[in-house]
Amino acid sequence: MNRIKITVVIILTILLSYSCSTMKNNVRTNVKISSDLIGQNGIRRIITEPVDMQIGDASYKFNMILDLSVNSKKYYLGVASTSKMQENNVLLLKLGNNENVKLTASDVKVEKVNMPKDLTILGGKQIGLSINRNVDYYSALFDVDTKVLEGIKNHGIIKMRIEYMDTFFEQNWWSNELGKYITESRKMLDEQSKKPNKARTPIEDGF
């Protein structure tokens, strides 16, 4: 009987190790720059390519944004979803050292987008067809200061909670998936910011 128990424990340990390893391998850390533009206000905005994540029962896209001007440097966590967001919405992060971080949406935009919806028949079975539907798509910016970014880099993110109307969606991570993405994104943004933006390069340069 003891041998059976030992065997079961060994098998479970192997499966758990494999599961953790797989989760770590699925973490996206190869972040790329999506755009690097100069706005009409003269502020240079650099944006990373988004990553899709499931937070509770809702799907979200996350990206990182860096705004640069002569006298300021500001980071934002961009969040987009068909799940409703509004200004002052709260996003909570729990770091690996159990520190709680509260981020507040400073800017929220909504636009109409076409998204496919699977058709169903009586009994709830899908029939393999889909139609396009117009839905509201929300994009929010959450201010993130450098102290928070350093905390994420050093301790990772183990839990997230995002406000949704009068409730919230929540997600736990073993793999620090969002934390790794944010840290790698900041690194890429900083590296890109050191390169000249084509819109700022004088026409005579290199002529």
Side-chain angles (χ1 to χ4, degrees), residues 124-140:
K125 294 184 178 180
Q126 294 182 356
I127 60 175
L129 298 175
S130 63
I131 58 172
N132 285 332
R133 54 178 181 149
N134 260 337
V135 298
D136 289 334
Y137 192 72
Y138 300 86
S139 301

Side-chain angles (χ1 to χ4, degrees), residues 53-58 60 62 77 79 83-85 88-95 99-105 140 142 157-173 178-179 182:
M53 292 188 187
Q54 192 74 16
I55 308 298
D57 296 327
Y60 289 86
F62 295 90
L77 175 63
V79 184
S83 298
K84 186 175 182 179
M85 291 184 285
N88 299 319
N89 259 27
V90 172
L91 186 155
L92 297 177
L93 300 174
K94 185 180 288 292
L95 306 188
E99 176 186 353
N100 292 330
V101 174
K102 180 179 179 181
L103 305 180
T104 304
F142 293 82
I157 299 172
I158 59 175
K159 186 176 182 179
M160 176 183 170
R161 182 178 288 178
I162 186 166
E163 188 175 0
Y164 171 67
M165 302 181 72
D166 59 348
T167 182
F168 57 83
F169 294 115
E170 181 177 284
Q171 186 67 37
N172 295 282
W173 287 286
L178 182 59
I182 289 175

Side-chain angles (χ1 to χ4, degrees), residues 1-163:
M1 190 67 180
N2 287 336
R3 288 182 178 179
I4 295 176
K5 288 182 179 179
I6 293 172
T7 303
V8 170
V9 170
I10 292 173
I11 292 173
L12 289 175
T13 302
I14 293 173
L15 289 174
L16 182 60
S17 299
Y18 175 78
S19 175
C20 292
S21 174
T22 302
M23 291 178 71
K24 289 178 180 178
N25 289 335
N26 286 336
V27 174
R28 174 183 174 180
T29 56
N30 185 23
V31 179
K32 296 180 180 179
I33 299 298
S34 172
S35 64
D36 183 354
L37 302 172
I38 306 291
Q40 291 182 346
N41 54 6
I43 294 177
R44 180 181 180 184
R45 170 164 286 188
I46 310 172
I47 305 175
T48 61
E49 289 186 349
V51 62
D52 296 301
M53 292 188 187
Q54 192 74 16
I55 308 298
D57 296 327
S59 297
Y60 289 86
K61 283 183 180 289
F62 295 90
N63 65 0
M64 285 290 292
I65 298 163
L66 172 60
D67 278 357
L68 288 169
S69 65
V70 176
N71 299 316
S72 69
K73 183 177 185 179
K74 294 188 67 175
Y75 296 94
Y76 301 94
L77 175 63
V79 184
S81 178
T82 55
S83 298
K84 186 175 182 179
M85 291 184 285
Q86 55 193 17
E87 283 194 27
N88 299 319
N89 259 27
V90 172
L91 186 155
L92 297 177
L93 300 174
K94 185 180 288 292
L95 306 188
N97 61 347
N98 284 320
E99 176 186 353
N100 292 330
V101 174
K102 180 179 179 181
L103 305 180
T104 304
S106 59
D107 182 38
V108 179
K109 296 179 181 177
V110 58
E111 61 179 328
K112 290 286 186 181
V113 296
N114 282 322
M115 296 191 69
K117 179 181 180 181
D118 292 330
L119 295 177
T120 58
I121 58 175
L122 292 177
K125 294 184 178 180
Q126 294 182 356
I127 60 175
L129 298 175
S130 63
I131 58 172
N132 285 332
R133 54 178 181 149
N134 260 337
V135 298
D136 289 334
Y137 192 72
Y138 300 86
S139 301
L141 294 183
F142 293 82
D143 297 51
V144 189
D145 62 38
T146 54
K147 182 180 178 181
V148 170
L149 291 173
E150 286 300 314
I152 292 173
K153 178 182 177 181
N154 294 330
H155 306 290
I157 299 172
I158 59 175
K159 186 176 182 179
M160 176 183 170
R161 182 178 288 178
I162 186 166
E163 188 175 0

